[in-house]
Structures are given as structure tokens and as C-alpha cells.
Amino acid sequence: MTKQVQQLERVIIRFAGDSGDGMQLTGDRFTAGTAEFGNDLSTLPNFPAEIRAPAGTLPGVSSFQLHFADHDILTPGDAPNVLVAMNPAALKANLSDLPRGADIIANTDEFTKRNLQKVGYAASPLEDDSLAAWRVHSVPLTSLTVKALEGFSLSKKDAERSKNMFALGLLSWLYHRPTEATIQFLETKFAKKPDIAKANIAAFQAGWNYGETTESFSVSYEVKPAKLAPGVYRNISGNQALAYGLIAASVQSKLPLFLGSYPITPASDILHELSKHKRFGIRTFQAEDEIAGVGAALGASFGGALGITTTSGPGVALKAETVGLAVTTELPLIVVDVQRAGPSTGMPTKTEQTDLLMAMYGRNGESPLPIIAPSTPSDCFDAAVEAARIAVKYRTPVMLLSDGYLANGSEPWKVPDAADLPDISTEFASGPNAEDGTTFLPFKRDPETLARPWAIPGTAGLEHRIGGIEKAEGTGNISYDPDNHDRMVRIRQAKIDGIAHDIPALEVDDPDGDARVLVLGWGSTYGPIAAAVRRIRKAGGKVAQAHLRHVNPLPANTGEVLRGYDRVLLPEINLGQLALLLRARFLVDIISYNRVRGLPFKAEELAGVIQDVIDSE
């Protein structure tokens, strides 16, 4: 049977099922095939925090959304065109996001009376008219998988576990995805269990063949590769990119990297990734708690290494005292905060931008530090290199604010040429630096950066005091002198403020230069904001866009940019934390738009807000 092939510009697919159904793995493999094919893509994994929520219930639903296209895209998409629902809970949890006319591929084997009752369905929605607004494809995925694996010496339960590979094969056929990489992945993943590898491969191929032969799908779809700038690309998640950026920073700074970390969602993958790269001289230390992790990292910095600690919001609270110690001892330290929904444990697997004020002020005393926020998963690489550059050059702890959306999401990354990476190497103190030529002054500062010397412990003649008590200017001796304390507080602040002259100016995207409304963002809101701005411009509206990577200090021209527009709209996944800071500093009436749902903004939502601001002019 010859089937029609329809060309599409873009597709949004959401795989959804029980947390034990392997939806994240399925989504990852479909994404890998899509990246191999050459589409531009963006992903949004969404899963429960509980290790194993009750099977078949709404709290246990796990999903993975993938947006891929033949052109440049910016977000995982507002709403899926296709929902793969492995059970009734997956259908009910995601149906409200599904636009009318979208496709639903439902695993009919799981729509049993017991599973329907678990989520409040009195009758199967596949058998009444409640889904009439959508195109429903009822497929017995579980039983088809078991049938395909009859020749394998597997129990029925073990065979059923491969149904996600059957679904992956079906979707790979439906959208013409490459299959070789998935087969190689399964062979590698189950290399020690060849029977399991063969069974999963068979299920994957059976899903492909089902799509090819069934009458349920008379059309398959093709999304051509995107036209990307020449170069070598790979698909990368934010946590992977951040880890690679830290490795690159270690190489470029010629400093050994030491990570002191305690596992915490959603930052743990950085520890996992860095632990694989010992050949680069990377040392990873899984500490007994958050305080020990940052203490070890700061100790490594004191010893002449690039000290790094990774965590999420609750861990930042525990690390606060040691970060303050890094401020007053003026040692380089990178604190990676992969933000998640709070307060307290909050929603550990969901995203937010709610740690900004804690990063700014969450320490005792006047303890300023630079804050950098990557904008996309791949930008996490460059942000990590920049954080290291600033930390090493200015002898200061740096807070790097990623978040769960960036950490777990992925996109194509153009692998940079190592020759284009910045040289961020530094010189350690080697001898006396006082005017008399015989004395070492540990707090004699570089006149340009205000950074103090970095002296390796044990270097003859460079002995000096270290600790949290205030130090005398120059000598570093313990000092309770009021005027000295005032000077030291102001110098530490001036050092951070001076970084503003060492970072790029805030760039504004205003094509015609006559927009009256500016949309400002920071961190992971970049994609949804940019996509919304595209929609407004396509409809004939005029709007400017600017995005902050350096949140503290702000670029030197920030005030000038903000005052150059009649209205400034600032969307944040918090209750207006950056808006508060900007209003206080620049006396500009920032218009806040805030949602804290544990999810990224939708482009359509922001486009409506932007249009409302334009219309109110």
C-alpha cells in the first residue's frame, strides 16, 4: 500500500505516560534522531518529583515535548500537534493543552475499567463522543508489543516494558526519523543483556512496520532539515552544556577543576557529567551535604584550583555562609544554581526564576557578587566560561543562575572552535609586592580590577592570614577599625560594580528603531519572549526586545536603554524580582508580567500581553 507523504514546516509532539513507561527515554531517542536528521529543535521534559508515584494516577504522569522544524525555532512549542497517551491518566492530564484537530495516539490496552476509575472517567473517552474534536488513533500498543516479542524468552511483564520502543518506532515511521542511531543506542545500553537489547530493537522495528502496514495511518509526514550556519552540531541539554563550559574554562584558565557538590534536582546531572571527564584533570567530590560541598570547593580555590559547587535553591540557602566567606576572602568560586520551584522542597522537577533576590542579597553583611544567567540550553556553555573568566580575573565568587527548563531542555549546539575560546589564564603571586620589595601584601589590589593577589598556600614568603574576620586594607591583618571596615566594604562593592565596564553593552533588537515598547527579559525567558516578539512583528506591530545575561552588575548602558522607551515590559517566572531591582535603581516604571506555574511561558500568552501593552499606548 502506497501512503501519502505530507510536507510540514514544524511539528510539536508530546509523549505522555506513567512515570514507569519510559517517556523520558522515548523522548530523548526521538530527539536524537531528529537532531541527526538536521531539524532545529527544542524540548521540554516534564516529570513528577516522586521516584514512583502510584501507577496510572495523575500525579504519576511523565511527559516529554519536542518541537522540531525546518527553520529556526525558539521554544518547545505552546501546544502539541500530536499526543501519544500511554494510559487514561496521560490523556486526562494533557488533553487541556491539545488544540482542536490535533492527533491523539492512545494505547487502548491501558484503558481498562480500573485505570479509567483511577482518574475519574466513568466510561472510556475512546468509546464516546468526548474526543470528537480531535483525531483519535486507537492503537493497542501493549498487546502489539507482546505479540512482536513472542519469539523471545521474556515474561509478559518484561515484554510489556518495551511498549515505549514500539511507540518510538511508530512515531519514527510517521515522521521519517532515522533509525540506525536508536538501534545502536539500544545495543550499547543493554550490551550486558543482549536478549533485552534484541527485544527492544524488535519492538522498535515492529512499531515502524506497524506504521508502514496499518490502515490507521494513511499519511506520513516529512519535516525537512533546517538551514543552519555551517559547522559541527550536536544536540545538547543545558546541564551538559554547562558541564562542558566548565571543562573548557578549566582548560582555558590552565587551572585544575574541582567540583564540590551534593546531589540535588535538577542540578545533579552536572556532577554526573563532570565525573566522566577525569582525563581533563577534573576532580569531582560528592560531599555529605551542601555545606561540605561548597566548603571543599572554596578550599580548592584557596589551593589554586577552579573551585565550583552546583546546587538548586535549597542548597544555595545552606551554602550562604561559605559564599560570604568567599566574598570576604576574595577568592574565585563558581556557584551554579539550577533554579527550581520553591519555597522549601516546592516542586523539585519544575522550573522557576525565583532565586534572583537570594543570589543578590542572600548573605549576611554587604556581600556583593556577580550574577550571570544563560538564556538557552546551549548558552549554558558560554555562560559557564564567562562565569569562570569573571571569577578568576576579579577574585570573586560568581553566581550562575540556570533553571530546570534550561537544565533538562535541549537544542542543537554549534560546537565552537577551541581557538575562539577566551584565554582566561591568570598568574599567581610569586613574591613580595610591597614598595619595600621585601613584604607580601595579600590585599594590595590591581588598580584596574581591584582584585587582590592569588597566593598559593605553601609558597615561601607569601604567608598571610585567611578567614572570615575583617582584614586590614593591604596587609590582611585582623582589623576592627571602623574606617578600615567602611573602606573594605566599599572596595569590594566597587570591584563588582567595575565589572560593568568589562562586559558587553545591552543590545536592543529594534529593527526600525521606532518601537515605543521594549520587552526585557533575563535567563530562560529568552525563547518565549523572542517567539512572541516575532508574532507581533509578523502581524505588523512594532516592539523592541533586549535580554540580560549579566544581571549583576548590569551592563553600563542599561539605564539608557530603559529610559529610551515609553513602556518596558518585563516577564519573569517569579513575582517581579528583577523588576523590583530595576525600579529601585533606575526609577523606571517597569510593567511586570509574572507567572509561577513551574512551566516556561508560552509564546502565544506573551504575544497577547505585549499586544495589550502596545494598544494601551
Side-chain angles (χ1 to χ4, degrees), residues 243-258 274 277-282 305-306 308 381 384-385 388 392 418-419 421-426:
Y244 292 167
L246 294 174
I247 294 170
S250 173
V251 173
Q252 295 302 106
S253 64
K254 301 178 178 62
L255 297 173
L257 185 153
F258 178 91
L274 286 176
H277 299 285
K278 296 180 177 65
R279 65 186 183 279
F280 290 106
I282 307 300
L306 183 61
I308 298 162
F381 177 91
V385 174
V392 168
L421 296 176
D423 179 4
I424 56 178
S425 57
T426 187

PDB file of all heavy atoms in Angstrom, residues 243-258 274 277-282 305-306 308 381 384-385 388 392 418-419 421-426:
ATOM      1  N   ALA A 243      28.299  21.784  31.943  1.00  0.00           N
ATOM      2  CA  ALA A 243      29.446  20.965  32.331  1.00  0.00           C
ATOM      3  C   ALA A 243      30.594  21.128  31.341  1.00  0.00           C
ATOM      4  O   ALA A 243      31.759  21.286  31.732  1.00  0.00           O
ATOM      5  CB  ALA A 243      29.028  19.498  32.433  1.00  0.00           C
ATOM      6  N   TYR A 244      30.274  21.107  30.054  1.00  0.00           N
ATOM      7  CA  TYR A 244      31.321  21.275  29.038  1.00  0.00           C
ATOM      8  C   TYR A 244      31.936  22.667  29.121  1.00  0.00           C
ATOM      9  O   TYR A 244      33.135  22.841  28.896  1.00  0.00           O
ATOM     10  CB  TYR A 244      30.745  21.042  27.642  1.00  0.00           C
ATOM     11  CG  TYR A 244      30.325  19.618  27.368  1.00  0.00           C
ATOM     12  CD1 TYR A 244      29.555  19.294  26.258  1.00  0.00           C
ATOM     13  CD2 TYR A 244      30.673  18.576  28.226  1.00  0.00           C
ATOM     14  CE1 TYR A 244      29.155  17.994  26.006  1.00  0.00           C
ATOM     15  CE2 TYR A 244      30.282  17.269  27.987  1.00  0.00           C
ATOM     16  CZ  TYR A 244      29.516  16.994  26.875  1.00  0.00           C
ATOM     17  OH  TYR A 244      29.115  15.697  26.634  1.00  0.00           O
ATOM     18  N   GLY A 245      31.119  23.660  29.423  1.00  0.00           N
ATOM     19  CA  GLY A 245      31.650  25.014  29.583  1.00  0.00           C
ATOM     20  C   GLY A 245      32.622  25.117  30.745  1.00  0.00           C
ATOM     21  O   GLY A 245      33.652  25.795  30.656  1.00  0.00           O
ATOM     22  N   LEU A 246      32.318  24.429  31.833  1.00  0.00           N
ATOM     23  CA  LEU A 246      33.231  24.427  32.982  1.00  0.00           C
ATOM     24  C   LEU A 246      34.540  23.724  32.640  1.00  0.00           C
ATOM     25  O   LEU A 246      35.627  24.163  33.057  1.00  0.00           O
ATOM     26  CB  LEU A 246      32.556  23.749  34.175  1.00  0.00           C
ATOM     27  CG  LEU A 246      31.338  24.482  34.756  1.00  0.00           C
ATOM     28  CD1 LEU A 246      30.676  23.639  35.841  1.00  0.00           C
ATOM     29  CD2 LEU A 246      31.729  25.853  35.318  1.00  0.00           C
ATOM     30  N   ILE A 247      34.449  22.629  31.864  1.00  0.00           N
ATOM     31  CA  ILE A 247      35.672  21.940  31.437  1.00  0.00           C
ATOM     32  C   ILE A 247      36.506  22.864  30.551  1.00  0.00           C
ATOM     33  O   ILE A 247      37.732  22.981  30.713  1.00  0.00           O
ATOM     34  CB  ILE A 247      35.329  20.641  30.692  1.00  0.00           C
ATOM     35  CG1 ILE A 247      34.656  19.646  31.637  1.00  0.00           C
ATOM     36  CG2 ILE A 247      36.582  20.014  30.090  1.00  0.00           C
ATOM     37  CD1 ILE A 247      34.069  18.433  30.942  1.00  0.00           C
ATOM     38  N   ALA A 248      35.840  23.536  29.599  1.00  0.00           N
ATOM     39  CA  ALA A 248      36.548  24.463  28.722  1.00  0.00           C
ATOM     40  C   ALA A 248      37.193  25.592  29.525  1.00  0.00           C
ATOM     41  O   ALA A 248      38.323  26.007  29.247  1.00  0.00           O
ATOM     42  CB  ALA A 248      35.589  25.046  27.684  1.00  0.00           C
ATOM     43  N   ALA A 249      36.496  26.071  30.550  1.00  0.00           N
ATOM     44  CA  ALA A 249      37.043  27.132  31.395  1.00  0.00           C
ATOM     45  C   ALA A 249      38.275  26.653  32.138  1.00  0.00           C
ATOM     46  O   ALA A 249      39.246  27.402  32.313  1.00  0.00           O
ATOM     47  CB  ALA A 249      35.980  27.618  32.376  1.00  0.00           C
ATOM     48  N   SER A 250      38.253  25.399  32.571  1.00  0.00           N
ATOM     49  CA  SER A 250      39.421  24.839  33.250  1.00  0.00           C
ATOM     50  C   SER A 250      40.623  24.805  32.310  1.00  0.00           C
ATOM     51  O   SER A 250      41.736  25.185  32.679  1.00  0.00           O
ATOM     52  CB  SER A 250      39.098  23.431  33.758  1.00  0.00           C
ATOM     53  OG  SER A 250      40.241  22.791  34.283  1.00  0.00           O
ATOM     54  N   VAL A 251      40.375  24.366  31.077  1.00  0.00           N
ATOM     55  CA  VAL A 251      41.463  24.300  30.103  1.00  0.00           C
ATOM     56  C   VAL A 251      41.970  25.702  29.764  1.00  0.00           C
ATOM     57  O   VAL A 251      43.175  25.960  29.734  1.00  0.00           O
ATOM     58  CB  VAL A 251      40.995  23.579  28.825  1.00  0.00           C
ATOM     59  CG1 VAL A 251      42.066  23.655  27.732  1.00  0.00           C
ATOM     60  CG2 VAL A 251      40.659  22.117  29.134  1.00  0.00           C
ATOM     61  N   GLN A 252      41.044  26.628  29.529  1.00  0.00           N
ATOM     62  CA  GLN A 252      41.441  27.979  29.121  1.00  0.00           C
ATOM     63  C   GLN A 252      42.096  28.776  30.242  1.00  0.00           C
ATOM     64  O   GLN A 252      42.893  29.672  29.992  1.00  0.00           O
ATOM     65  CB  GLN A 252      40.227  28.740  28.595  1.00  0.00           C
ATOM     66  CG  GLN A 252      39.613  28.162  27.316  1.00  0.00           C
ATOM     67  CD  GLN A 252      40.615  28.103  26.173  1.00  0.00           C
ATOM     68  OE1 GLN A 252      41.101  27.030  25.813  1.00  0.00           O
ATOM     69  NE2 GLN A 252      40.956  29.245  25.623  1.00  0.00           N
ATOM     70  N   SER A 253      41.739  28.453  31.472  1.00  0.00           N
ATOM     71  CA  SER A 253      42.350  29.155  32.611  1.00  0.00           C
ATOM     72  C   SER A 253      43.624  28.470  33.086  1.00  0.00           C
ATOM     73  O   SER A 253      44.344  29.010  33.932  1.00  0.00           O
ATOM     74  CB  SER A 253      41.360  29.229  33.778  1.00  0.00           C
ATOM     75  OG  SER A 253      41.053  27.927  34.266  1.00  0.00           O
ATOM     76  N   LYS A 254      43.862  27.262  32.546  1.00  0.00           N
ATOM     77  CA  LYS A 254      45.028  26.454  32.948  1.00  0.00           C
ATOM     78  C   LYS A 254      44.989  26.149  34.449  1.00  0.00           C
ATOM     79  O   LYS A 254      46.017  26.065  35.116  1.00  0.00           O
ATOM     80  CB  LYS A 254      46.341  27.163  32.574  1.00  0.00           C
ATOM     81  CG  LYS A 254      46.464  27.436  31.075  1.00  0.00           C
ATOM     82  CD  LYS A 254      47.753  28.189  30.758  1.00  0.00           C
ATOM     83  CE  LYS A 254      47.888  28.420  29.258  1.00  0.00           C
ATOM     84  NZ  LYS A 254      46.796  29.250  28.685  1.00  0.00           N
ATOM     85  N   LEU A 255      43.770  25.976  34.951  1.00  0.00           N
ATOM     86  CA  LEU A 255      43.568  25.648  36.358  1.00  0.00           C
ATOM     87  C   LEU A 255      42.868  24.294  36.458  1.00  0.00           C
ATOM     88  O   LEU A 255      41.944  24.009  35.688  1.00  0.00           O
ATOM     89  CB  LEU A 255      42.696  26.700  37.045  1.00  0.00           C
ATOM     90  CG  LEU A 255      43.243  28.129  37.120  1.00  0.00           C
ATOM     91  CD1 LEU A 255      42.177  29.067  37.670  1.00  0.00           C
ATOM     92  CD2 LEU A 255      44.496  28.178  37.986  1.00  0.00           C
ATOM     93  N   PRO A 256      43.267  23.446  37.389  1.00  0.00           N
ATOM     94  CA  PRO A 256      42.523  22.202  37.603  1.00  0.00           C
ATOM     95  C   PRO A 256      41.131  22.504  38.129  1.00  0.00           C
ATOM     96  O   PRO A 256      40.947  23.425  38.931  1.00  0.00           O
ATOM     97  CB  PRO A 256      43.366  21.455  38.638  1.00  0.00           C
ATOM     98  CG  PRO A 256      44.135  22.520  39.348  1.00  0.00           C
ATOM     99  CD  PRO A 256      44.391  23.598  38.336  1.00  0.00           C
ATOM    100  N   LEU A 257      40.144  21.759  37.655  1.00  0.00           N
ATOM    101  CA  LEU A 257      38.764  21.993  38.082  1.00  0.00           C
ATOM    102  C   LEU A 257      38.431  21.065  39.242  1.00  0.00           C
ATOM    103  O   LEU A 257      38.663  19.859  39.173  1.00  0.00           O
ATOM    104  CB  LEU A 257      37.811  21.756  36.920  1.00  0.00           C
ATOM    105  CG  LEU A 257      36.323  22.068  37.131  1.00  0.00           C
ATOM    106  CD1 LEU A 257      35.667  22.410  35.785  1.00  0.00           C
ATOM    107  CD2 LEU A 257      35.552  20.919  37.764  1.00  0.00           C
ATOM    108  N   PHE A 258      37.868  21.646  40.289  1.00  0.00           N
ATOM    109  CA  PHE A 258      37.394  20.857  41.424  1.00  0.00           C
ATOM    110  C   PHE A 258      35.925  21.181  41.651  1.00  0.00           C
ATOM    111  O   PHE A 258      35.557  22.349  41.851  1.00  0.00           O
ATOM    112  CB  PHE A 258      38.181  21.177  42.697  1.00  0.00           C
ATOM    113  CG  PHE A 258      37.690  20.410  43.901  1.00  0.00           C
ATOM    114  CD1 PHE A 258      38.233  19.177  44.236  1.00  0.00           C
ATOM    115  CD2 PHE A 258      36.661  20.913  44.699  1.00  0.00           C
ATOM    116  CE1 PHE A 258      37.762  18.460  45.332  1.00  0.00           C
ATOM    117  CE2 PHE A 258      36.192  20.209  45.801  1.00  0.00           C
ATOM    118  CZ  PHE A 258      36.744  18.974  46.114  1.00  0.00           C
ATOM    119  N   LEU A 274      30.465  15.805  34.789  1.00  0.00           N
ATOM    120  CA  LEU A 274      31.859  16.155  35.077  1.00  0.00           C
ATOM    121  C   LEU A 274      32.650  14.955  35.592  1.00  0.00           C
ATOM    122  O   LEU A 274      33.851  14.839  35.345  1.00  0.00           O
ATOM    123  CB  LEU A 274      31.919  17.298  36.090  1.00  0.00           C
ATOM    124  CG  LEU A 274      31.541  18.683  35.555  1.00  0.00           C
ATOM    125  CD1 LEU A 274      31.537  19.712  36.682  1.00  0.00           C
ATOM    126  CD2 LEU A 274      32.493  19.135  34.446  1.00  0.00           C
ATOM    127  N   HIS A 277      34.926  12.942  33.135  1.00  0.00           N
ATOM    128  CA  HIS A 277      35.996  13.590  32.363  1.00  0.00           C
ATOM    129  C   HIS A 277      37.273  13.779  33.171  1.00  0.00           C
ATOM    130  O   HIS A 277      37.884  14.853  33.165  1.00  0.00           O
ATOM    131  CB  HIS A 277      35.488  14.926  31.824  1.00  0.00           C
ATOM    132  CG  HIS A 277      34.314  14.784  30.913  1.00  0.00           C
ATOM    133  ND1 HIS A 277      34.425  14.324  29.615  1.00  0.00           N
ATOM    134  CD2 HIS A 277      32.988  15.000  31.113  1.00  0.00           C
ATOM    135  CE1 HIS A 277      33.224  14.278  29.056  1.00  0.00           C
ATOM    136  NE2 HIS A 277      32.332  14.679  29.946  1.00  0.00           N
ATOM    137  N   LYS A 278      37.679  12.728  33.835  1.00  0.00           N
ATOM    138  CA  LYS A 278      38.909  12.786  34.628  1.00  0.00           C
ATOM    139  C   LYS A 278      40.139  13.026  33.766  1.00  0.00           C
ATOM    140  O   LYS A 278      41.154  13.520  34.252  1.00  0.00           O
ATOM    141  CB  LYS A 278      39.062  11.491  35.435  1.00  0.00           C
ATOM    142  CG  LYS A 278      37.981  11.269  36.471  1.00  0.00           C
ATOM    143  CD  LYS A 278      38.199   9.970  37.221  1.00  0.00           C
ATOM    144  CE  LYS A 278      37.150   9.777  38.317  1.00  0.00           C
ATOM    145  NZ  LYS A 278      35.782   9.623  37.773  1.00  0.00           N
ATOM    146  N   ARG A 279      40.046  12.683  32.485  1.00  0.00           N
ATOM    147  CA  ARG A 279      41.211  12.855  31.606  1.00  0.00           C
ATOM    148  C   ARG A 279      41.567  14.333  31.423  1.00  0.00           C
ATOM    149  O   ARG A 279      42.660  14.660  30.973  1.00  0.00           O
ATOM    150  CB  ARG A 279      40.961  12.211  30.248  1.00  0.00           C
ATOM    151  CG  ARG A 279      39.851  12.847  29.421  1.00  0.00           C
ATOM    152  CD  ARG A 279      39.593  12.027  28.171  1.00  0.00           C
ATOM    153  NE  ARG A 279      38.583  12.599  27.290  1.00  0.00           N
ATOM    154  CZ  ARG A 279      37.277  12.470  27.455  1.00  0.00           C
ATOM    155  NH1 ARG A 279      36.821  11.790  28.505  1.00  0.00           N
ATOM    156  NH2 ARG A 279      36.427  13.006  26.607  1.00  0.00           N
ATOM    157  N   PHE A 280      40.648  15.216  31.732  1.00  0.00           N
ATOM    158  CA  PHE A 280      40.933  16.644  31.676  1.00  0.00           C
ATOM    159  C   PHE A 280      41.419  17.179  33.024  1.00  0.00           C
ATOM    160  O   PHE A 280      41.522  18.394  33.216  1.00  0.00           O
ATOM    161  CB  PHE A 280      39.687  17.431  31.248  1.00  0.00           C
ATOM    162  CG  PHE A 280      39.307  17.230  29.808  1.00  0.00           C
ATOM    163  CD1 PHE A 280      38.220  16.452  29.455  1.00  0.00           C
ATOM    164  CD2 PHE A 280      40.052  17.817  28.792  1.00  0.00           C
ATOM    165  CE1 PHE A 280      37.863  16.262  28.128  1.00  0.00           C
ATOM    166  CE2 PHE A 280      39.709  17.640  27.461  1.00  0.00           C
ATOM    167  CZ  PHE A 280      38.615  16.856  27.131  1.00  0.00           C
ATOM    168  N   GLY A 281      41.704  16.292  33.954  1.00  0.00           N
ATOM    169  CA  GLY A 281      42.135  16.731  35.273  1.00  0.00           C
ATOM    170  C   GLY A 281      40.994  17.179  36.154  1.00  0.00           C
ATOM    171  O   GLY A 281      41.206  17.878  37.151  1.00  0.00           O
ATOM    172  N   ILE A 282      39.778  16.754  35.829  1.00  0.00           N
ATOM    173  CA  ILE A 282      38.601  17.146  36.605  1.00  0.00           C
ATOM    174  C   ILE A 282      38.509  16.279  37.854  1.00  0.00           C
ATOM    175  O   ILE A 282      38.611  15.046  37.789  1.00  0.00           O
ATOM    176  CB  ILE A 282      37.323  16.978  35.771  1.00  0.00           C
ATOM    177  CG1 ILE A 282      37.443  17.697  34.423  1.00  0.00           C
ATOM    178  CG2 ILE A 282      36.105  17.467  36.551  1.00  0.00           C
ATOM    179  CD1 ILE A 282      37.672  19.161  34.510  1.00  0.00           C
ATOM    180  N   ALA A 305      42.941  26.056  42.588  1.00  0.00           N
ATOM    181  CA  ALA A 305      42.121  25.372  41.588  1.00  0.00           C
ATOM    182  C   ALA A 305      40.927  26.248  41.217  1.00  0.00           C
ATOM    183  O   ALA A 305      40.656  27.275  41.856  1.00  0.00           O
ATOM    184  CB  ALA A 305      41.642  24.024  42.123  1.00  0.00           C
ATOM    185  N   LEU A 306      40.238  25.831  40.170  1.00  0.00           N
ATOM    186  CA  LEU A 306      38.982  26.470  39.810  1.00  0.00           C
ATOM    187  C   LEU A 306      37.890  25.768  40.607  1.00  0.00           C
ATOM    188  O   LEU A 306      37.441  24.683  40.250  1.00  0.00           O
ATOM    189  CB  LEU A 306      38.737  26.337  38.304  1.00  0.00           C
ATOM    190  CG  LEU A 306      37.487  27.024  37.735  1.00  0.00           C
ATOM    191  CD1 LEU A 306      37.542  28.528  37.958  1.00  0.00           C
ATOM    192  CD2 LEU A 306      37.329  26.701  36.255  1.00  0.00           C
ATOM    193  N   ILE A 308      34.299  24.944  42.118  1.00  0.00           N
ATOM    194  CA  ILE A 308      32.922  25.026  41.644  1.00  0.00           C
ATOM    195  C   ILE A 308      32.029  24.227  42.568  1.00  0.00           C
ATOM    196  O   ILE A 308      32.405  23.161  43.057  1.00  0.00           O
ATOM    197  CB  ILE A 308      32.806  24.471  40.206  1.00  0.00           C
ATOM    198  CG1 ILE A 308      33.665  25.299  39.249  1.00  0.00           C
ATOM    199  CG2 ILE A 308      31.357  24.457  39.733  1.00  0.00           C
ATOM    200  CD1 ILE A 308      33.967  24.604  37.957  1.00  0.00           C
ATOM    201  N   PHE A 381      26.837  26.826  27.990  1.00  0.00           N
ATOM    202  CA  PHE A 381      28.272  26.653  27.761  1.00  0.00           C
ATOM    203  C   PHE A 381      28.989  27.989  27.877  1.00  0.00           C
ATOM    204  O   PHE A 381      29.950  28.141  28.652  1.00  0.00           O
ATOM    205  CB  PHE A 381      28.507  26.034  26.377  1.00  0.00           C
ATOM    206  CG  PHE A 381      29.963  25.889  26.026  1.00  0.00           C
ATOM    207  CD1 PHE A 381      30.650  24.730  26.324  1.00  0.00           C
ATOM    208  CD2 PHE A 381      30.643  26.913  25.373  1.00  0.00           C
ATOM    209  CE1 PHE A 381      31.999  24.599  26.004  1.00  0.00           C
ATOM    210  CE2 PHE A 381      31.989  26.794  25.040  1.00  0.00           C
ATOM    211  CZ  PHE A 381      32.663  25.629  25.362  1.00  0.00           C
ATOM    212  N   ALA A 384      28.993  29.546  31.370  1.00  0.00           N
ATOM    213  CA  ALA A 384      29.935  28.926  32.300  1.00  0.00           C
ATOM    214  C   ALA A 384      31.349  29.456  32.082  1.00  0.00           C
ATOM    215  O   ALA A 384      32.081  29.741  33.040  1.00  0.00           O
ATOM    216  CB  ALA A 384      29.902  27.404  32.139  1.00  0.00           C
ATOM    217  N   VAL A 385      31.741  29.602  30.824  1.00  0.00           N
ATOM    218  CA  VAL A 385      33.071  30.153  30.525  1.00  0.00           C
ATOM    219  C   VAL A 385      33.169  31.589  31.032  1.00  0.00           C
ATOM    220  O   VAL A 385      34.178  31.991  31.620  1.00  0.00           O
ATOM    221  CB  VAL A 385      33.352  30.089  29.011  1.00  0.00           C
ATOM    222  CG1 VAL A 385      34.666  30.792  28.669  1.00  0.00           C
ATOM    223  CG2 VAL A 385      33.403  28.641  28.536  1.00  0.00           C
ATOM    224  N   ALA A 388      33.568  31.765  34.814  1.00  0.00           N
ATOM    225  CA  ALA A 388      34.943  31.462  35.217  1.00  0.00           C
ATOM    226  C   ALA A 388      35.867  32.642  34.927  1.00  0.00           C
ATOM    227  O   ALA A 388      36.753  32.962  35.729  1.00  0.00           O
ATOM    228  CB  ALA A 388      35.428  30.212  34.498  1.00  0.00           C
ATOM    229  N   VAL A 392      37.874  34.349  38.067  1.00  0.00           N
ATOM    230  CA  VAL A 392      39.339  34.298  38.119  1.00  0.00           C
ATOM    231  C   VAL A 392      39.943  35.700  38.028  1.00  0.00           C
ATOM    232  O   VAL A 392      40.864  36.043  38.769  1.00  0.00           O
ATOM    233  CB  VAL A 392      39.864  33.389  36.985  1.00  0.00           C
ATOM    234  CG1 VAL A 392      41.362  33.534  36.825  1.00  0.00           C
ATOM    235  CG2 VAL A 392      39.500  31.939  37.273  1.00  0.00           C
ATOM    236  N   ALA A 418      37.891  25.602  19.434  1.00  0.00           N
ATOM    237  CA  ALA A 418      38.633  25.842  20.671  1.00  0.00           C
ATOM    238  C   ALA A 418      39.505  27.083  20.569  1.00  0.00           C
ATOM    239  O   ALA A 418      39.746  27.777  21.572  1.00  0.00           O
ATOM    240  CB  ALA A 418      39.484  24.621  21.018  1.00  0.00           C
ATOM    241  N   ALA A 419      39.967  27.397  19.354  1.00  0.00           N
ATOM    242  CA  ALA A 419      40.830  28.567  19.175  1.00  0.00           C
ATOM    243  C   ALA A 419      40.079  29.869  19.413  1.00  0.00           C
ATOM    244  O   ALA A 419      40.699  30.918  19.657  1.00  0.00           O
ATOM    245  CB  ALA A 419      41.425  28.559  17.773  1.00  0.00           C
ATOM    246  N   LEU A 421      37.874  30.316  21.878  1.00  0.00           N
ATOM    247  CA  LEU A 421      37.535  30.488  23.289  1.00  0.00           C
ATOM    248  C   LEU A 421      38.488  31.498  23.932  1.00  0.00           C
ATOM    249  O   LEU A 421      39.670  31.575  23.566  1.00  0.00           O
ATOM    250  CB  LEU A 421      37.620  29.148  24.021  1.00  0.00           C
ATOM    251  CG  LEU A 421      36.637  28.065  23.570  1.00  0.00           C
ATOM    252  CD1 LEU A 421      36.899  26.765  24.318  1.00  0.00           C
ATOM    253  CD2 LEU A 421      35.203  28.515  23.785  1.00  0.00           C
ATOM    254  N   PRO A 422      38.013  32.269  24.887  1.00  0.00           N
ATOM    255  CA  PRO A 422      38.869  33.292  25.501  1.00  0.00           C
ATOM    256  C   PRO A 422      39.973  32.681  26.358  1.00  0.00           C
ATOM    257  O   PRO A 422      39.789  31.634  26.980  1.00  0.00           O
ATOM    258  CB  PRO A 422      37.893  34.092  26.361  1.00  0.00           C
ATOM    259  CG  PRO A 422      36.785  33.135  26.676  1.00  0.00           C
ATOM    260  CD  PRO A 422      36.652  32.267  25.455  1.00  0.00           C
ATOM    261  N   ASP A 423      41.124  33.324  26.354  1.00  0.00           N
ATOM    262  CA  ASP A 423      42.222  32.935  27.245  1.00  0.00           C
ATOM    263  C   ASP A 423      41.950  33.585  28.598  1.00  0.00           C
ATOM    264  O   ASP A 423      42.000  34.806  28.736  1.00  0.00           O
ATOM    265  CB  ASP A 423      43.554  33.408  26.669  1.00  0.00           C
ATOM    266  CG  ASP A 423      44.736  33.052  27.574  1.00  0.00           C
ATOM    267  OD1 ASP A 423      44.515  32.376  28.596  1.00  0.00           O
ATOM    268  OD2 ASP A 423      45.868  33.470  27.265  1.00  0.00           O
ATOM    269  N   ILE A 424      41.648  32.777  29.591  1.00  0.00           N
ATOM    270  CA  ILE A 424      41.318  33.339  30.906  1.00  0.00           C
ATOM    271  C   ILE A 424      42.341  32.905  31.950  1.00  0.00           C
ATOM    272  O   ILE A 424      42.048  32.816  33.141  1.00  0.00           O
ATOM    273  CB  ILE A 424      39.885  32.939  31.334  1.00  0.00           C
ATOM    274  CG1 ILE A 424      39.698  31.417  31.328  1.00  0.00           C
ATOM    275  CG2 ILE A 424      38.860  33.589  30.435  1.00  0.00           C
ATOM    276  CD1 ILE A 424      38.319  30.973  31.785  1.00  0.00           C
ATOM    277  N   SER A 425      43.545  32.640  31.479  1.00  0.00           N
ATOM    278  CA  SER A 425      44.599  32.228  32.404  1.00  0.00           C
ATOM    279  C   SER A 425      44.979  33.387  33.317  1.00  0.00           C
ATOM    280  O   SER A 425      44.794  34.558  32.985  1.00  0.00           O
ATOM    281  CB  SER A 425      45.827  31.738  31.637  1.00  0.00           C
ATOM    282  OG  SER A 425      46.307  32.739  30.766  1.00  0.00           O
ATOM    283  N   THR A 426      45.515  33.054  34.458  1.00  0.00           N
ATOM    284  CA  THR A 426      45.885  34.063  35.447  1.00  0.00           C
ATOM    285  C   THR A 426      47.247  33.731  36.024  1.00  0.00           C
ATOM    286  O   THR A 426      47.735  32.595  35.902  1.00  0.00           O
ATOM    287  CB  THR A 426      44.838  34.110  36.584  1.00  0.00           C
ATOM    288  OG1 THR A 426      45.135  35.203  37.445  1.00  0.00           O
ATOM    289  CG2 THR A 426      44.830  32.814  37.380  1.00  0.00           C
TER     290      THR A 426
END
